[in-house]
Amino acid sequence: MGDFNHVIDTWTKNGRRKGAQRSQAILELAEQQQSPNIRPTTMSCGAVIKAWARSKEPDAGIHAEALLLRMKKRFNEGDMMVVPDAAAYKAVIFAWAKWGGIEGATRAADIVLEDVSSALLVDDVVNEVVQRSLEQYKQCAEKLNASKLRRKQIKDGNIVVRR
């Protein structure tokens, strides 16, 4: 798996467009191999998740979380080579918080709250990112509610709009 890890790591760090997709494709190629010596590890999966977190793709959170869920499934099935670690959880949370808009902010918080083991893995930096994302969500929700109220007042004739 060493060569696969090297190539995945290169795509993760190079910052080029489509790097996350290429890292994911290489990981999937390794998964398809029949050799016991070539199979995904915590390191290779974590590198791909980190690639998604660093990418500029709007659906990065979806891809990062899907891979984390695959890691959890493999680990729960007894694969000790793929252990969902703190770095994987952090990268998924960052991917959601960074690119997921309002839904991403709430999903990042949900990941922290859903799983007791993941809550133990996160640190103050991750908590700060989630907190900031939720604050932005709260501000957006307040503006949306104010806008709805204003439209209702205009519709009901309580506010006259001058044109």
Side-chain angles (χ1 to χ4, degrees), residues 102 132-144:
I102 293 169
R132 257 188 274 139
S133 295
L134 289 174
E135 185 60 36
Q136 289 172 350
Y137 168 74
K138 181 180 172 188
Q139 290 171 3
C140 289
E142 288 170 357
K143 288 178 185 177
L144 181 62

Side-chain angles (χ1 to χ4, degrees), residues 108-163:
D110 287 345
I111 290 168
V112 173
L113 298 173
E114 263 174 14
D115 186 345
V116 174
S117 62
S118 68
L120 296 174
L121 294 173
V122 298
D123 59 16
D124 291 338
V125 173
V126 173
N127 286 328
E128 178 66 26
V129 168
V130 171
Q131 193 63 38
R132 257 188 274 139
S133 295
L134 289 174
E135 185 60 36
Q136 289 172 350
Y137 168 74
K138 181 180 172 188
Q139 290 171 3
C140 289
E142 288 170 357
K143 288 178 185 177
L144 181 62
N145 287 336
S147 175
K148 286 179 182 178
L149 177 62
R150 183 162 173 80
R151 282 195 312 269
K152 184 178 182 328
Q153 290 172 333
I154 291 169
K155 183 180 175 185
D156 293 346
N158 298 334
I159 295 179
V160 177
V161 178
R162 295 184 187 167
R163 294 181 189 188

Side-chain angles (χ1 to χ4, degrees), residues 30 32-39:
Q32 295 169 3
Q33 302 300 310
Q34 299 300 318
S35 169
N37 297 328
I38 301 175
R39 61 183 217 203

Side-chain angles (χ1 to χ4, degrees), residues 21-59:
Q21 290 94 328
R22 290 185 172 132
S23 294
Q24 181 86 36
I26 294 163
L27 181 69
E28 289 169 1
L29 179 64
E31 288 177 328
Q32 295 169 3
Q33 302 300 310
Q34 299 300 318
S35 169
N37 297 328
I38 301 175
R39 61 183 217 203
T41 62
T42 299
M43 189 173 94
S44 58
C45 292
V48 175
I49 291 172
K50 191 183 294 183
W52 283 115
R54 290 179 176 175
S55 80
K56 293 185 171 126
E57 301 298 325
D59 57 353

